[in-house]
Amino acid sequence: MDFIADEIEGSVYLSSGQIPNFEIAQMARALQSEPDVYLVTMTDYDPAGREISSNFAKKLQMALDAFSHGESVVHHGSVTFEDPLERYNTYELSARQQKKWEEGTHGVELDTIPKTDRIETIRATLEKLLPLEMFEELSLERARKEEYTVRLDSSEEYSHLKQAVKMFKEDMWAKVLELDYTFDTDRFEVYRDHEVVKMTKITAL
């Protein structure tokens, strides 16, 4: 899972395996006006995952160089979990993969790591990667949205408004259903006789 943030805005990209070059080019085209692009990658804890993460950052920088003529810089941070081989379920790497891996003979698949741990490591990686003022702004924006949601949910006025809108929509739909409709056949061309016969003929089973 990869998080791409430009300024305060961000997007999440989910992929399986290596990311196609044309998709990386699309990302670069969309981000070419940004002088600083912040990329956080989170992959399986194994050789393939590490390779995907590294290649993604390199290819995105190359694509940005082509679009922005070297004026955009990718700041890359790879999410790392504390002692993943000891804390999470592991699987045995193939002999070929073990030759590429300095962490032993096992790896950890990302989807086996608890969601809460993934969220926390993303937060920690962003805190290290982003300029302090940007990270604080992101944190403040999230806190504001949470407070906004809490206030809405606890508001009796908002609850009444939601119910009123629901009733209004139901009433409007009921009125539409009462309208008379006609099927205007004049809009269609006249079929030839043999076409009519063909369309209406019932073939015996």
Side-chain angles (χ1 to χ4, degrees):
M1 180 177 68
D2 315 293
F3 178 92
I4 300 177
D6 57 295
E7 295 300 330
I8 303 301
E9 298 178 358
S11 62
V12 175
Y13 177 89
L14 299 175
S15 176
S16 176
Q18 293 286 355
I19 301 169
N21 291 336
F22 77 89
E23 292 190 12
I24 294 178
Q26 289 178 333
M27 295 177 194
R29 184 188 296 275
L31 297 170
Q32 61 180 305
S33 61
E34 301 296 336
D36 295 287
V37 175
Y38 298 91
L39 171 69
V40 172
T41 57
M42 185 167 62
T43 62
D44 293 339
Y45 185 74
D46 57 24
R50 185 167 294 180
E51 184 177 1
I52 288 172
S53 178
S54 176
N55 286 345
F56 188 5
K58 292 177 182 178
K59 289 181 178 181
L60 181 58
Q61 182 65 71
M62 291 174 60
L64 280 169
D65 289 343
F67 283 108
S68 67
H69 306 292
E71 296 183 3
S72 296
V73 178
V74 174
H75 305 273
H76 177 221
S78 179
V79 171
T80 55
F81 298 90
E82 183 178 355
D83 299 325
L85 297 177
E86 297 178 10
R87 297 174 58 198
Y88 309 117
N89 293 329
T90 63
Y91 74 96
E92 187 173 0
L93 298 169
S94 65
R96 179 183 177 188
Q97 289 295 308
Q98 289 181 27
K99 293 179 181 179
K100 302 179 181 179
W101 197 228
E102 299 176 355
E103 311 297 332
T105 59
H106 290 73
V108 178
E109 293 187 351
L110 181 60
D111 58 5
T112 65
I113 297 176
K115 181 179 179 180
T116 53
D117 287 11
R118 283 181 273 169
I119 292 174
E120 175 56 27
T121 50
I122 290 174
R123 185 204 63 77
T125 304
L126 285 172
E127 186 175 13
K128 295 177 183 177
L129 179 66
L130 299 178
L132 180 60
E133 61 274 12
M134 185 181 291
F135 179 77
E136 289 178 341
E137 182 64 27
L138 283 169
S139 300
L140 181 59
E141 180 66 17
R142 179 177 180 180
R144 285 170 175 166
K145 288 181 179 179
E146 290 176 350
E147 177 65 17
Y148 173 72
T149 301
V150 169
R151 293 193 181 191
L152 275 183
D153 291 341
S154 62
S155 169
E156 290 187 10
E157 181 180 2
Y158 178 64
S159 179
H160 292 323
L161 285 172
K162 284 177 63 177
Q163 186 63 26
V165 170
K166 179 181 178 181
M167 294 177 64
F168 176 79
K169 291 170 67 176
E170 290 176 352
D171 182 59
M172 187 64 67
W173 180 240
K175 290 179 179 179
V176 170
L177 291 177
E178 293 175 357
L179 296 176
D180 293 328
Y181 288 93
T182 58
F183 187 70
D184 185 8
T185 57
D186 293 338
R187 292 171 50 241
F188 298 92
E189 64 176 297
V190 177
Y191 288 102
R192 300 183 183 90
D193 290 340
H194 74 277
E195 292 175 327
V196 175
V197 172
K198 184 176 181 181
M199 288 186 290
T200 58
K201 183 179 179 181
I202 299 178
T203 304
L205 296 178

